[in-house]
Amino acid sequence: MPATVVNRIASTLGATDHPYMTGAWTPNFEEYDATDLEVTGEIPRDIDGVYIRNTENPVHAPIGLYHPFDGDGMIHAMAFQDGKASYRNRFVRTKGFAAEQAAGEALWAGIAEHPSRSKRPGWGAHGGIKDSSSTDVVVHAGQILSTFYQCGEGYRLDPLTLDDKGTEAWVPAKGVSAHPKVDPATGELLFFNYSKTAPYMHYGVVSADNRLTHYTPIPLPGPRLPHDMAFTRRFSIFADLPLFWDPELLPKGLHAAGFHRDLPSRFAIVPRYGQAEDIRWFEARPCYVLHWMNAYEEGDEVVLDGYFQEDPEPPALEGWPRKLGQMMAYLDEHSMKPRLYRWRFNLKTGAVSEGPLDDRILEFGSFNQQVAGEKGRYLYSTTAKPGWFLFTGLVKHDLETGRSTSLEFGPNRFGSEAPFAPRVGAKAEDDGYLASFVTDLDADLSECLLIDAQDIAAGPVCRIRLPHRISSGTHATWAPREALKPAQAAP
Ligand SMILES: [Fe+2]
């Protein structure tokens, strides 16, 4: 079977010159099933599982200024087995997507507009926007869980067919944020949400067989904008960072984020099944962090890696209308300057030590999930094009030797977050592949790269051409074959 268009979504988008609706961000409206794809090199026989990426695809002409995180979620999946690959892509059938398809127009204004411009009540912490489920994707209990950064529904899809499995029943009324974490050792899903009402944050645990087994407040001093969480074998880690919506403007419906250099960053370390009274709080240098990497316990300390932003409130990019330039600065890593950084929290003394691991501007990283929550040796980060939310290459860090290696995708070629896929029968932490969807603007195509994680500078071991050029997007995940089994009841 060659590539088959299984569905073509009705769009009212029309012509646009918006920088995040054109070029590498040109949205897709066609849904494909494809096998027998053109391969350069050879697909290894020792990779078995699915590479899955979420992307933003605006279907309708926006109400006011479009922000790329408003776009409707679309999942792209490349499944590997026995040296063969097959590709599928599907929109996430969110409630907002269905309502706008029925209406034939956009019903919700986006994050860059006043919520009064939305035609219907919205979702999540913001409350006035559409839950487009376009931010993050994980596989838990044998199914895809697609999530939205402002907290929303948990949408389930079959990881191989991408069939719509509806919304997840355990998601609390305040929703689930992007970046729930799957603990590979237990199969549990750890998640959080945040809101404008006290206690402002909650933390939950869902079992490997998909039952909500824990849900507890993480009380904060006010509404905050956490984006990610981390975990170790015994603890979950949440942050109260001094970047948040101006509380004086919120009653007017204005969601203006400000960074407060006079406030510390606060970290909550809570036992996996702990309650609010079990939280240990630590204070560190003021910062904002979009994404954490791994965390682990070492002696009396909890060690956490992440990307420390030097300038969480950057000036508008020049050369664009002011409001657009401001939005583009918040999408530009070279404006916010995130760097790989490490915090150490001493549970015995309460002491905190912190500092950078690298001076390059890096973000959107990955590591071998088999060492999630434990001390690992290798981290993989992406580099970005200055001025743009586009990934230009990869950097691998060996934390034991301090060495790093890198790979550039090439001119006008932009990749995706590149999760680590362990080789079947792997003998080392970095024995496996990094997978990335790369869009080549000059050749007008997209392809899936597999890169040998032990030698990323050598370039891809194979390139699998997709049946269409796909839009850029946000997060991706790797699900090994054994993670695709349906949820099993606990013994
Ligand atoms: Fe994220």
Side-chain angles (χ1 to χ4, degrees), residues 430-469:
D430 62 347
D431 191 3
Y433 304 94
L434 299 178
S436 181
F437 288 127
V438 170
T439 287
D440 186 321
L441 292 181
D442 295 340
D444 191 25
L445 60 81
S446 291
E447 54 192 11
C448 181
L449 309 188
L450 289 181
I451 298 148
D452 183 345
Q454 293 185 325
D455 188 8
I456 71 166
V461 296
C462 72
R463 297 169 18 212
I464 307 154
R465 183 162 174 177
L466 305 191
H468 57 164
R469 198 181 98 184

Side-chain angles (χ1 to χ4, degrees), residues 69 135-136 149 178-179 227-228 290-291 363-364 389 417 474-475:
F69 298 165
T135 311
D136 193 21
Y149 73 111
H179 300 299
H227 182 74
D228 197 1
L290 197 60
H291 299 117
E363 242 284 3
F364 286 85
F389 183 21
E417 196 174 58
T474 43
H475 291 290

Side-chain angles (χ1 to χ4, degrees), residues 33 40-41 59 75 149 227 240 289 291 296 301 372 381 408 461 483:
D33 283 358
T40 306
V59 173
I75 303 288
Y149 73 111
H227 182 74
D240 165 13
V289 174
H291 299 117
Y296 58 93
E301 292 182 318
S381 301
E408 290 291 316
V461 296

Side-chain angles (χ1 to χ4, degrees), residues 18 32 41 111 115 159 266 315 373 398:
H18 190 295
Y32 278 89
I111 193 81
R266 299 172 68 238
D398 180 337

